[in-house]
Every structure is written in C-alpha cells, then in structure tokens.
Amino acid sequence: MRIGIYGGTFDPIHLGHMCAAQYAAELLHLDRLYLIPAGLPPHKHLADSTPAPEHRLHMTELAADALSRTECPVEVWGEELRQEGKSYTVNTLRAFRERYPEEELWLLMGTDMFLTLHQWREPGRILELAGVCAFGRTEADGEAVFAPQREFLRKTYQGARIATITVPGLADVSSTRLRELLARGEGRDFLPEAVYGYILREKLYGTHADLKRLGLDEL
C-alpha cells in the first residue's frame, strides 16, 4: 500500500493545497492520503491571526471530507497539534513508520519546502523513511527550479526516492494572501465551500459576515 503524507500549517487550507494533493495522489497511485496540520512549524512563525489549533484541525477535516469523494481515501492526522514544542517532520515520519512498518510512504510538499529540505532536522533519515514528491504551485515552478535540488539530494542521500511535478491550473494563492483577502470580505473562490462557511461562522481571519442576512448565492 502507498500512503501519502501532506503536512502544513493549513492556515487556512485552501483549494491550492487540495488540488496539489489530489494531483500528486493520482500520479503516485496512492492508496491513502493523510493531511497533517502542523503544530509549531520549525521553519516559520504562525501569523498573529492564526486560529486556535482546534479550528485549523476542523478546517482540515472539512477539506479531507471533500477530498475523500475521490478514489483515494483522505484522513487527518492531528497528533502534531497535540504535541508540545516544535513539529519536526522526521518525528512524524517515525510515528507513521511504526504504524505502517511495511507500507510505502510518500511525503508531499511544495516548492519552497523542497528547496530547503536539506536544512531540516535529519534530512537523511527523512529520505530513508519516505519518498518525497514536490509539486510546483505555479507554472514557473518547473524543471529549471526542481532539477538542481533533486540531483543534489539524490547524490547526497543515496537511495533517495524523489518525484517532482508541476500541477496544471493550480489556484495561485498563498495562505498569507488569502488571509488578507478574507479580512476584506473576499477570497471565497480559493476555498472549499465547507471551509469558507466554517470561517464565516467562527469569524476567523477578521471576517465579520452577518449570517442572518446572507444572499441566496452566499447561502
């Protein structure tokens, strides 16, 4: 069985994340995909507007439910949110290897994470535990960007399994930009409907919709 592992702050999780995960799942022929909202990511600071962990977890669960309508079942692994201290990928992969000792693991990530993978904690161990599939968020994230890092990792860490892909037609928005749009009452086109509804209901990211006076389209 092939298992995909896709982690991120998911602050909030949006259609770009979901389309990339679905595309990678199809190309890798994954049998199961896990979405993992990060607790305290070591590589960046959480925004001041970041909701409480339970909100990020629930939004990820809503996105997973939408993705599970495809052929590959999607589940959410919330353990990083319950751990103290920073969330290191190598520790999460160790936990997955204990749970799935015989299965083939694939770690999914975007371009920025892929280009800095050698600077993570125990990169060699990461590449022993799982293959890495990196996907471009824009058409510019193509072979010219991926090739140097891919070859460096393969030469540095013998036996590393690495796949790089560019996802066509991917929603080109960052979570940072999306948070700005939401605070202005925009951004719904970049979110799955259930996640957008949850954001409005919980008044996350500076949203302040009057839920008693929504139009038919918004409902």
Side-chain angles (χ1 to χ4, degrees):
M1 183 167 65
R2 287 187 169 190
I3 297 174
I5 301 166
Y6 183 22
T9 53
F10 298 147
D11 186 24
I13 192 166
H14 55 68
L15 293 178
H17 296 127
M18 295 170 65
C19 290
Q22 183 175 351
Y23 192 72
E26 292 173 356
L27 288 183
L28 293 171
H29 304 289
L30 296 180
D31 299 292
R32 184 174 299 173
L33 173 64
Y34 282 92
L35 300 178
I36 306 178
L40 292 175
H43 54 276
K44 63 180 176 181
H45 296 289
L46 295 176
D48 292 338
S49 61
T50 297
E54 56 268 26
H55 287 311
R56 286 195 291 125
L57 178 62
H58 194 64
M59 287 189 287
T60 306
E61 290 171 340
L62 292 171
D65 181 63
L67 280 173
S68 288
R69 297 166 193 168
T70 62
E71 293 183 2
C72 176
V74 183
E75 299 181 31
V76 176
W77 176 279
E79 294 304 311
E80 287 194 3
L81 293 174
R82 291 184 274 271
Q83 296 171 355
E84 295 184 1
K86 294 183 177 180
S87 304
Y88 290 101
T89 298
V90 68
N91 293 335
T92 297
L93 288 178
R94 285 191 178 105
F96 268 88
R97 179 52 68 203
E98 290 179 4
R99 183 171 182 175
Y100 298 106
E102 304 297 331
E103 311 303 343
E104 182 178 330
L105 304 181
W106 280 90
L107 180 64
L108 313 185
M109 64 181 66
T111 305
D112 292 344
M113 297 297 98
F114 179 65
L115 296 180
T116 61
L117 179 57
H118 58 288
Q119 299 173 354
W120 293 14
R121 173 172 286 192
E122 299 185 55
R125 184 59 177 148
I126 289 174
L127 291 166
E128 288 177 5
L129 291 166
V132 168
C133 179
F135 43 77
R137 288 274 185 96
T138 69
E139 294 296 333
D141 296 339
E143 186 65 7
V145 174
F146 285 134
Q149 176 71 344
R150 186 178 62 234
E151 295 310 309
F152 168 77
L153 293 174
R154 284 175 174 168
K155 289 179 180 179
T156 305
Y157 308 102
Q158 297 298 313
R161 292 176 291 127
I162 300 173
T164 54
I165 58 177
T166 299
V167 184
L170 191 63
D172 185 14
V173 66
S174 67
S175 292
T176 300
R177 175 60 176 160
L178 182 52
R179 290 192 295 269
E180 295 172 353
L181 291 172
L182 287 168
R184 300 206 308 257
E186 304 172 16
R188 62 178 291 185
D189 292 341
F190 296 108
L191 291 161
E193 291 181 353
V195 173
Y196 183 61
Y198 183 85
I199 289 172
L200 294 184
R201 186 168 69 250
E202 300 297 330
K203 301 186 182 301
L204 306 179
Y205 305 111
T207 58
H208 47 273
D210 185 348
L211 301 184
K212 296 182 180 179
R213 292 180 173 81
L214 295 179
L216 289 178
D217 181 58
E218 292 173 307
L219 288 172

